[in-house]
Amino acid sequence: QVQLVESGGGLVQAGGSLRLSCAASGTIFRVNGMDWFRQVPGKQRELVATITSGGRTNYADSVKGRFTISRDNAKNTVYLQMNSLKPEDTAVYYCHGAVLTSPQYEYSYWGQGTQVTVSS
């Protein structure tokens, strides 16, 4: 069994910064791609940023230049540094990971979500 546990959400004023963390634990052979998604009530969950096991990154246009995704493979942890936050960044942020529990089997796991609220 694998768990992804997020931390670092909270309330911040517009223009401020927050850093989210997501740690994977359990029966892990290797963690492949890791991602951050976000969702607001009544809307679909949207992809914010992705990072491969090799460190290649990709971002949604709405966060390019403001957010940075990174990872520590030794700790099976992914981070999302969010700068210059805007009220429209307010959402529940979810961590997602593609985890190999053995050399043959890869599964998709989600964190429980962490609320980020940006006040104007």
Side-chain angles (χ1 to χ4, degrees), residues 8-14 16-18 85 90 114-120:
L11 173 65
V12 65
Q13 287 190 329
S17 298
L18 282 175
L85 282 160
T90 296
T114 186
Q115 177 70 47
V116 171
T117 302
V118 184
S119 63
S120 57

Side-chain angles (χ1 to χ4, degrees), residues 2-6 22 35-38 45-47 93-97 108-113:
V2 173
Q3 286 189 319
L4 271 58
V5 178
E6 298 129 340
C22 172
D35 323 287
W36 287 97
F37 287 76
R38 67 186 181 188
R45 192 170 294 188
E46 67 166 341
L47 180 62
Y93 283 71
Y94 295 91
C95 170
H96 170 264
S108 178
Y109 293 95
W110 291 89
Q112 79 284 0

